[in-house]
Amino acid sequence: MYAELAVDNTSLNTDRLFTYSVPSDMEFYMEVGKRVLVPFGRGNKLLEGLVVNLKRDLDSGLDADKLKPIQYVVDREPIMTLEMVELLGWMRERYLAKYTEVIKTIVPNGITMKAKKVVKVEMAIDETIVDPELAAYLNSKKRMALENLKRKFGEKNIQKDINRLCQMGCIEIEESVFQQVKKQYEKHVERRFKPEDADCIAETLSTRAVKQVEIVRLLSSRESISKKELLQAVNTSDSTIKSLEKKGLVETVEREVDRNPVGREVAHYSKIELNEAQRMVYDEIESLKHTKHLIHGVTGSGKTEVYLQLIESALERGEESIVLVPEIALTPQTLDRFMGRFGDRVAIYHSKLSNGERYDEWRKMRDGRAKVAIGTRSAVFAPFRNLGLIIMDEEHEQSYKSSMNPKYSTLEVAEKRCELEGARLVLGSATPSVETYYRAESGEFKLLEMNLRANENPLPNINLIDMREELYNGNKSIFSRELYMSMLEKLERREQIILFLNSRGFSKFVSCRSCGHVIKCSRCDISMTYHAEENRLVCHYCGESRKMVTECPECGSRYVKHMGLGTQKVEAEVRKHFPKAAVERMDLDTTGRKHSHEEILTRMKNREIDILIGTQMISKGLDFPDVTLVGVIIADTSLNIPDYKAPERTFQLMTQVAGRAGRSELEGRVVIQTYEPDHYSIQTAKDHDYMSFYSQEIMVRKLFRYPPFCELVDITVYGREESSVCKIASEVASRVKDSVSKSETLRNVEVLGPNPALIYRIKDRYRMKILIKARREDMSEIKTTLGALLSLNEKYAKEQVRVSIDINPSSII
DNA sequence: AGCACGCCGACT
DNA sequence: GTCGGCGTGCTC
């Protein structure tokens, strides 16, 4: 028997399957989806591999005698089902990722095997043959890791002794394997000499050991450095470090990079009778006429109860369910409903769990103790064996697209998984993404409409205020008269108010009135935001901050002014105009501390807050019955981003924010202030008219050829050296253009760029973009070219330029 | 990534 | 001649 393995190795060159022979006594345990340990490479280093395929016959070109045997089977139970192994291969191709990247996404990066060399003392060692200290130590311990021994005595000092003892049979070295909850590691090179000896050591080193001297000098000023950094700084390969290590001057160690945990508890949430609309949707999905569904339901139409009952019915059939929610929606409020109904049959799965917690939840699912998984996008990989249902709530949310390799779309993966495992897919949204709705219209998804709010309250009334007119009428404040009066009225009635603005800080940028100079971040091509509370300027892209200036750094003028609006300024204005109201601000700056997020929401719930001011953060999933007024200070911020999704985002944002008002029998009102009241995404949001928005937007998409009328591939080339970034970006572009023009079939493929990214420089890295528009059926042919581009990452590693490819990115800026 | 191989220059 | 540094190419 032979096994094809994906070996745990991050190099692109080794990102393929390797064939090993299965010793006959191991055949019984061998299964696809289990991990094994195999000797790999010249050094036969023990590596972990995942069994992807088992076969009796060997591919031609492989010589059976030359195959190495599998050494050890790691898992008792497979960590992936056959279907998941197939999904693994599919994801690797679809998103141009490596096996290891995909495996680490699918299984919790908690479990892995480590092999260590262990020294076993077979007979007492005579202190006269070797270093007496070493002998004494060995005799006292009997068994120890070779690693520790090297650390204690220095590798160079003991190497010969160890070899001799081995030959004499006094000790034996064996490889011992143990499971370890893997933390994130980074290799560091540590100094093993005294800093004052640096000069002395540099002289002793060979005159040819230029690189080694450089490293010694570098390390004389610091105790350790990450290996990556060191290689870049000295511009050398790791054989230099190896040489130094042999001399005992440095040592490489793995250092842990750690994370943070979460924890909570719940009350029972009982079943509710479905209303007519809910019942129809439920019956339709249960009827099994279709496998993929889209519930288009207004906020408050009671989608969650439908989800709960679908899960219940799946449970009765013995099937498992996955509930996906966007990052921000995974609040205690949401969790309570699911855990309150299904108790400990629910597993929670998201990226903020600690390794231990994640591993526990994962095992709960794989071993069948949990039947319902709820979590963010990674929960789509829940290790169930009898999956019946995947629910994806707020389907349109951006957080469903991963920004790390593999840059997968949770929707695509969910679809693929449902296909492979015969499960049903249910998408839900009040504002479906244009792509999804298009597919529903064309019959790929069964479209289910829920137009009524479950509590039968009307949707809130939305007033659009043209801020140009306000200004014309002499109102220079950030509140229109309409909003101001409404706030007064609601405060008098002791009802709650939410004010929304899409940018934090006090003012968006600071500029000099006499020379026009705008203060920019030193590392990014972006203006700095003024934060009044700390009286500092902050860059929202890299976090750099400095003291607010009193005079222009260019011309010295004292007329520096902050322009534009942030939540801090809104807060200040609110306090000024409504001094008696209890005001609270909720944005990235006020929720920095752990649980501060929940604290604010609890105070809101307890009505200790009259006016809540916030960013995106408050637009989703919050359900406060006493909020009757929502004010959008400026709606245009998200509209003016040069991205084809900007109108869609704006419509979704407005609709969601508006949905925060009038969740109870109290009448809700929404005031949207804007400078572009005629824009279709704002107009249609005002009328709660998704259909009208959709029909206009789909025309724009068709006209300019954007999804769903094409697939997009975003290639970003980025690095510290502007000239190399540009050079490599144009190399990338011309390679792609070449292969497109040479092909007969790729007539419809457009290659745009290279163009500088909207924000050309972030954290001192220059960014160039190439955009490809292609038909879906052309993708596989393009992939060959794209795959080759990724090897540029290795070719240009020295230049520190990277090429990153994103299939259907969530934005193209 | 990480290992051995092998070329090449310096030193005995 | 020999030793060691360091770039290169391969991994079932």
Side-chain angles (χ1 to χ4, degrees):
Chain A
M1 192 190 264
Y2 304 102
E4 292 188 309
L5 311 178
V7 176
D8 184 18
N9 191 306
T10 49
S11 168
L12 196 63
N13 303 319
T14 47
D15 181 52
R16 55 198 157 97
L17 297 179
F18 288 89
T19 309
Y20 281 82
S21 64
V22 181
S24 53
D25 59 328
M26 223 182 253
E27 284 190 12
F28 182 71
Y29 309 93
M30 199 54 70
E31 252 183 286
V32 170
K34 284 185 177 176
R35 288 167 305 162
V36 293
L37 291 178
V38 289
F40 188 79
R42 292 179 201 248
N44 280 334
K45 191 184 169 179
L46 269 195
L47 278 188
E48 196 181 293
L50 180 79
V51 182
V52 167
N53 234 327
L54 288 174
K55 41 173 72 173
R56 288 281 167 194
D57 303 306
L58 214 48
D59 285 352
S60 58
L62 281 178
D63 187 348
D65 308 332
K66 286 195 181 142
L67 295 187
K68 294 178 187 174
I70 289 177
Q71 209 147 93
Y72 182 82
V73 184
V74 175
D75 298 300
R76 257 186 179 202
E77 290 295 317
I79 58 165
M80 284 189 211
T81 57
L82 281 173
E83 291 86 358
M84 290 301 268
V85 172
E86 195 170 338
L87 188 74
L88 158 72
W90 177 83
M91 283 181 72
R92 172 173 172 269
E93 288 185 9
R94 171 77 181 147
Y95 304 110
L96 293 154
K98 295 170 200 150
Y99 275 116
T100 39
E101 288 172 332
V102 185
I103 293 171
K104 290 202 162 80
T105 309
I106 293 181
V107 292
N109 57 347
I111 34 177
T112 197
M113 299 300 284
K114 278 248 159 180
K116 257 192 190 175
K117 285 192 175 153
V118 174
V119 178
K120 247 169 66 189
V121 181
E122 297 286 310
M123 54 177 105
I125 296 154
D126 190 343
E127 302 197 353
T128 54
I129 359 177
V130 295
D131 173 17
E133 254 180 79
L134 177 66
Y137 187 74
L138 286 169
N139 283 333
S140 70
K141 282 274 189 177
K142 299 292 177 211
R143 204 183 143 84
M144 70 221 75
L146 183 60
E147 204 179 297
N148 295 340
L149 210 57
K150 284 179 181 170
R151 178 160 308 167
K152 206 169 163 73
F153 293 93
E155 182 166 6
K156 189 145 197 208
N157 305 332
I158 60 167
Q159 198 67 64
K160 277 187 187 149
D161 285 347
I162 293 287
N163 288 343
R164 207 156 81 236
L165 288 171
C166 238
Q167 274 166 16
M168 291 166 65
C170 295
I171 60 171
E172 207 168 294
I173 294 179
E174 62 181 32
E175 222 157 350
S176 150
V177 171
F178 58 95
Q179 193 149 19
Q180 189 192 38
V181 169
K182 192 186 180 185
K183 294 129 194 167
Q184 234 179 303
Y185 282 111
E186 202 181 17
K187 288 222 159 151
H188 281 254
V189 177
E190 285 186 354
R191 156 156 54 81
R192 284 293 126 89
F193 56 88
K194 290 192 186 117
E196 57 268 28
D197 294 343
D199 288 330
C200 183
I201 291 166
E203 272 171 44
T204 16
L205 285 169
S206 153
T207 45
R208 292 192 59 249
V210 193
K211 300 289 181 188
Q212 293 182 33
V213 173
E214 256 182 81
I215 293 174
V216 168
R217 296 231 185 272
L218 191 81
L219 280 176
S220 68
S221 61
R222 55 193 291 187
E223 204 155 345
S224 82
I225 183 170
S226 91
K227 185 171 167 183
K228 228 188 197 167
E229 232 179 294
L230 182 67
L231 289 181
Q232 279 167 6
V234 185
N235 185 25
T236 182
S237 62
D238 54 23
S239 56
T240 314
I241 297 173
K242 264 248 138 82
S243 297
L244 281 171
E245 213 170 355
K246 254 192 228 156
K247 293 174 186 139
L249 292 171
V250 301
E251 195 163 347
T252 56
V253 292
E254 288 194 327
R255 274 209 208 150
E256 205 181 302
V257 189
D258 50 17
R259 292 196 196 81
N260 52 336
V262 179
R264 38 167 297 89
E265 54 196 73
V266 193
H268 186 70
Y269 182 68
S270 51
K271 195 167 168 175
I272 302 167
E273 192 72 31
L274 295 180
N275 68 24
E276 201 184 330
Q278 289 172 321
R279 162 86 26 212
M280 275 174 65
V281 169
Y282 174 84
D283 287 344
E284 181 63 42
I285 297 171
E286 280 290 292
S287 75
L288 283 177
K289 274 186 262 172
H290 301 86
T291 50
K292 299 176 181 178
H293 311 80
L294 169 63
I295 304 178
H296 176 212
V298 294
T299 23
S301 59
K303 289 186 296 260
T304 309
E305 188 58 35
V306 175
Y307 298 159
L308 288 166
Q309 300 205 11
L310 285 170
I311 295 168
E312 201 170 317
S313 142
L315 280 173
E316 279 163 17
R317 285 192 297 273
E319 294 170 351
E320 294 124 352
S321 308
I322 298 174
V323 182
L324 300 167
V325 293
E327 219 113 23
I328 358 92
L330 197 66
T331 55
Q333 269 181 333
T334 320
L335 286 182
D336 282 1
R337 293 198 178 166
F338 288 88
M339 297 187 73
R341 183 72 56 88
F342 303 115
D344 58 4
R345 282 177 296 177
V346 177
I348 297 169
Y349 208 67
H350 55 83
S351 57
K352 295 222 171 66
L353 293 178
S354 75
N355 282 323
E357 286 169 318
R358 186 179 302 113
Y359 186 45
D360 288 347
E361 297 296 301
W362 185 84
R363 258 201 332 223
K364 235 163 90 183
M365 294 186 269
R366 191 194 60 175
D367 300 344
R369 282 176 285 135
K371 299 279 185 191
V372 181
I374 172 164
T376 53
R377 60 172 181 257
S378 54
V380 77
F381 303 111
F384 289 139
R385 295 159 200 250
N386 189 21
L387 183 67
L389 176 67
I390 298 184
I391 291 167
M392 197 169 157
D393 196 29
E394 307 293 336
E395 162 277 329
H396 61 277
E397 278 295 327
Q398 259 190 96
S399 63
Y400 282 128
K401 181 73 165 65
S402 170
S403 54
M404 287 192 311
N405 274 342
K407 300 191 177 76
Y408 65 95
S409 144
T410 307
L411 174 55
E412 283 180 357
V413 173
E415 283 187 70
K416 187 71 190 173
R417 212 181 155 184
C418 284
E419 262 165 48
L420 289 168
E421 303 183 37
R424 275 165 300 158
L425 179 64
V426 176
L427 309 178
S429 175
T431 53
S433 72
V434 173
E435 291 91 324
T436 303
Y437 202 82
Y438 180 78
R439 295 176 62 195
E441 270 200 324
S442 58
E444 268 187 75
F445 296 113
K446 173 69 185 171
L447 184 59
L448 303 162
E449 300 273 356
M450 289 175 79
N451 300 319
L452 289 176
R453 289 184 134 184
N455 52 19
E456 292 179 355
N457 296 324
L459 285 165
N461 192 18
I462 301 182
N463 291 335
L464 280 190
I465 306 295
D466 185 343
M467 289 306 273
R468 295 169 303 187
E469 221 165 274
E470 289 289 318
L471 196 62
Y472 182 77
N473 291 329
N475 178 8
K476 288 185 191 165
S477 100
I478 63 167
F479 305 114
S480 58
R481 282 155 305 165
E482 168 86 24
L483 180 57
Y484 187 79
M485 297 309 283
S486 302
M487 286 173 73
L488 270 185
E489 181 197 325
K490 297 296 181 188
L491 284 175
E492 245 163 52
R493 298 229 297 251
R494 304 280 313 142
E495 290 168 9
Q496 289 175 299
I497 301 169
I498 287 180
L499 294 179
F500 173 84
L501 180 68
N502 210 357
S503 51
R504 63 196 170 91
F506 189 84
S507 67
K508 297 216 75 173
F509 59 97
V510 173
S511 75
C512 168
R513 290 196 129 189
S514 55
C515 74
H517 175 75
V518 174
I519 298 184
K520 288 193 163 188
C521 173
S522 68
R523 306 167 64 202
C524 312
D525 264 347
I526 197 82
S527 54
M528 295 186 91
T529 304
Y530 175 51
H531 283 233
E533 276 169 15
E534 309 86 28
N535 193 35
R536 290 182 84 79
L537 291 161
V538 180
C539 171
H540 284 185
Y541 279 83
C542 72
E544 184 182 291
S545 88
R546 62 174 96 131
K547 261 197 91 160
M548 175 62 182
V549 295
T550 49
E551 51 189 50
C552 173
E554 281 293 301
C555 70
S557 159
R558 307 199 121 232
Y559 292 100
V560 281
K561 222 192 143 171
H562 39 255
M563 320 272 284
L565 201 54
T567 43
Q568 282 189 5
K569 172 118 183 228
V570 174
E571 184 186 354
E573 291 289 311
V574 170
R575 287 189 194 280
K576 196 166 94 191
H577 287 97
F578 307 95
K580 283 188 197 146
V583 182
E584 191 77 45
R585 181 163 55 89
M586 188 161 133
D587 55 30
L588 257 185
D589 301 317
T590 62
T591 52
R593 281 171 298 113
K594 211 184 252 177
H595 303 306
S596 48
H597 189 266
E598 285 160 45
E599 272 167 38
I600 295 176
L601 295 183
T602 314
R603 295 231 303 285
M604 188 73 184
K605 189 127 240 169
N606 297 340
R607 312 217 44 223
E608 290 163 42
I609 299 171
D610 297 320
I611 305 177
L612 180 67
I613 302 160
T615 52
Q616 300 255 17
M617 216 174 260
I618 59 169
S619 68
K620 275 144 208 143
L622 306 186
D623 189 355
F624 300 117
D626 290 330
V627 172
T628 55
L629 174 64
V630 167
V632 177
I633 306 296
I634 305 174
D636 314 358
T637 325
S638 60
L639 203 52
N640 293 323
I641 298 165
D643 184 49
Y644 78 97
K645 284 205 187 228
E648 180 178 340
R649 293 258 160 74
T650 307
F651 178 82
Q652 286 163 347
L653 203 52
M654 291 304 115
T655 307
Q656 267 157 10
V657 176
R660 299 311 113 214
R663 307 215 25 124
S664 67
E665 54 287 344
L666 296 169
E667 194 205 344
R669 189 192 296 173
V670 179
V671 177
I672 296 181
Q673 307 186 146
T674 172
Y675 291 91
E676 278 181 78
D678 298 327
H679 193 283
Y680 65 93
S681 59
I682 291 181
Q683 278 291 332
T684 51
K686 168 188 154 56
D687 298 333
H688 305 284
D689 190 353
Y690 176 82
M691 279 317 295
S692 167
F693 167 75
Y694 170 78
S695 54
Q696 293 184 61
E697 179 65 15
I698 199 80
M699 273 161 45
V700 176
R701 299 283 179 93
K702 190 162 196 174
L703 191 60
F704 294 104
R705 198 180 182 212
Y706 276 113
F709 299 101
C710 73
E711 297 239 304
L712 292 176
V713 181
D714 169 295
I715 308 176
T716 305
V717 181
Y718 61 94
R720 285 171 190 277
E721 194 67 52
E722 188 175 9
S723 56
S724 356
V725 171
C726 291
K727 184 190 81 188
I728 292 161
S730 51
E731 181 182 341
V732 167
S734 62
R735 277 216 211 177
V736 178
K737 283 174 183 166
D738 270 4
S739 74
V740 168
S741 64
K742 278 196 193 110
S743 161
E744 285 292 311
T745 47
L746 296 181
R747 289 274 157 69
N748 286 306
V749 175
E750 293 171 68
V751 184
L752 311 168
N755 292 314
L758 179 66
I759 299 164
Y760 183 37
R761 190 174 49 127
I762 294 180
K763 288 189 197 175
D764 272 332
R765 283 185 179 79
Y766 295 88
R767 302 156 64 231
M768 295 292 282
K769 291 211 172 236
I770 293 122
L771 190 69
I772 304 174
K773 289 182 179 178
R775 296 178 306 178
R776 185 146 195 160
E777 55 266 37
D778 294 331
M779 287 303 278
S780 61
E781 197 179 334
I782 295 175
K783 291 265 174 69
T784 348
T785 312
L786 297 180
L789 293 179
L790 288 177
S791 66
L792 293 176
N793 277 330
E794 264 142 54
K795 184 176 163 194
Y796 292 120
K798 282 270 162 63
E799 268 108 321
Q800 292 188 59
V801 174
R802 292 200 62 80
V803 179
S804 154
I805 299 179
D806 193 342
I807 308 291
N808 292 327
S810 64
S811 85
I812 54 170
I813 56 169

